[in-house]
Amino acid sequence: VRTNFCFPCLFEYNSSKDSNYNRKDTLKLLYKGGIFESNPNFTLDNLKPLTTDPEPLYSGKQIFSTLFPNDLNIRVKSKFCKKCDVCQELDCLYDAYVTIKNGELVTGTIDENSFGAMQSNSILQRIIKDHGNARGREFLDNATKMLLYVIRQNGMTMGLDEVFVKGDAFKAIRNVLDEAKKESKQLIIAFYNNDTNILKRAPGRSMRETLELRIRQVLAEARKEAEELAAHFIGDEAHSVIMTKSGARGNILNLGQMSAVVGQQAIRGEIPNILRSISFIFLSRSIISIGVNLREPL
């Protein structure tokens, strides 16, 4: 059992640029991480404080780096990557490029891409590969204790204010959905008018099946764009976005459904004409929210 610890569990660590700790909290984190036990010669003087005025402050990157072997070197993009046209790597404005050099976390935010057990080039996998299972288990245990202390101190939760979109973001989402509805209506009109210039029959599909396929495609793209707009408006500092992007809990689809749009519902990948449930029968409609004999989304 001791060697079977590579389970897909993620510990979200606040290793952002704004994560700083005073002397007291730093000592507690080092103690929780077993640093003094594994390295009796280690003292707080080994870490250079970011600032000493009005008191010494140490970064989360410095503290978390004490868990790494000195020969650990990794470069990987985190899930907070904005996919810029030209990657700035070490100079990333979003701190989304994880760089570990000689056992020191230089840049980046730790998330599933760099810490996940199922990632081939993650910190955990590299430690196991280079130093064996025992060292990997020690790192995982110490990191867990340290991160649990951070979560207990700072908390990790979300409220309705983190999924409430308003102002310009709401207008942008509404415009995206209106355009999708307009395009869906054009496809429906083309279907009834047999306009093959707008609605070309897909190979192996009837015209009605092609219509459903195209409408689902249009609505899926609109939902995805609305999700991205909502996530951008909420911001990366919100706990809901941190949990979804880091891989801790949920995904961007859940966040988009709560803050932007639920999206077109389908059964077995299709919008059926008849939906039967245990106690209700809906005739000539696809789902409850769509009127009788209507194919277009609301």
Side-chain angles (χ1 to χ4, degrees), residues 281-292:
I281 298 179
F282 299 96
L283 300 177
S284 301
R285 64 201 300 184
S286 54
I287 58 176
I288 300 174
S289 59
I290 292 183
V292 177

Side-chain angles (χ1 to χ4, degrees), residues 43-264:
T43 64
L44 194 57
D45 295 334
N46 293 53
L47 301 181
K48 182 180 179 180
L50 298 177
T51 179
T52 57
D53 186 21
E55 63 176 341
L57 292 178
Y58 303 86
S59 70
K61 289 181 172 61
Q62 289 178 299
I63 300 172
F64 197 61
S65 296
T66 58
L67 299 169
F68 301 150
N70 294 330
D71 59 349
L72 182 64
N73 293 278
I74 289 179
R75 284 194 174 192
V76 64
K77 293 180 181 179
S78 74
K79 286 193 171 184
F80 290 88
C81 177
K82 303 296 184 180
K83 296 180 175 58
C84 303
D85 295 335
V86 179
C87 181
Q88 300 297 325
E89 296 187 352
L90 299 179
D91 298 325
C92 178
L93 298 176
Y94 309 102
D95 202 27
Y97 192 82
V98 179
T99 304
I100 301 176
K101 185 176 181 180
N102 296 328
E104 181 181 356
L105 179 59
V106 181
T107 62
T109 302
I110 301 298
D111 62 4
E112 186 177 16
N113 283 0
S114 55
F115 198 88
M118 304 306 293
Q119 302 295 326
S120 59
N121 193 37
S122 68
I123 297 171
L124 180 59
Q125 294 289 0
R126 288 291 299 276
I127 292 177
I128 294 173
K129 181 179 179 180
D130 297 340
H131 299 274
N133 289 335
R135 182 65 177 88
R137 179 179 60 82
E138 179 185 350
F139 166 74
L140 186 60
D141 289 344
N142 292 339
T144 302
K145 295 174 183 177
M146 182 182 289
L147 303 182
L148 287 177
Y149 177 79
V150 173
I151 293 176
R152 284 198 300 267
Q153 293 298 111
N154 299 334
M156 179 65 70
T157 184
M158 61 175 290
L160 291 177
D161 58 323
E162 290 194 358
V163 295
F164 184 70
V165 178
K166 56 184 178 180
D168 294 338
F170 179 81
K171 293 179 181 178
I173 292 174
R174 174 53 60 187
N175 290 336
V176 170
L177 299 181
D178 289 342
E179 287 296 324
K181 185 174 181 179
K182 180 180 178 181
E183 187 174 352
S184 298
K185 286 185 176 181
Q186 290 177 347
L187 292 173
I188 294 172
I189 294 173
F191 168 75
Y192 285 115
N193 294 336
N194 198 23
D195 187 348
T196 56
N197 292 325
I198 297 178
L199 183 64
K200 296 182 180 180
R201 188 166 67 89
R205 301 267 187 170
S206 66
M207 288 300 292
R208 180 172 290 277
E209 290 174 339
T210 302
L211 173 65
E212 298 290 357
L213 183 65
R214 288 290 305 279
I215 290 178
R216 291 202 310 272
Q217 180 182 359
V218 170
L219 298 181
E221 292 174 354
R223 184 198 65 197
K224 183 178 180 180
E225 188 174 353
E227 291 169 0
E228 293 174 350
L229 288 171
H232 178 73
F233 172 80
I234 295 172
D236 290 340
E237 299 301 322
H239 287 176
S240 56
V241 178
I242 291 176
M243 286 189 285
T244 55
K245 284 193 173 183
S246 66
R249 283 293 181 270
N251 53 54
I252 194 66
L253 174 61
N254 303 138
L255 185 61
Q257 288 177 332
M258 289 186 289
S259 59
V261 58
V262 173
Q264 177 65 63

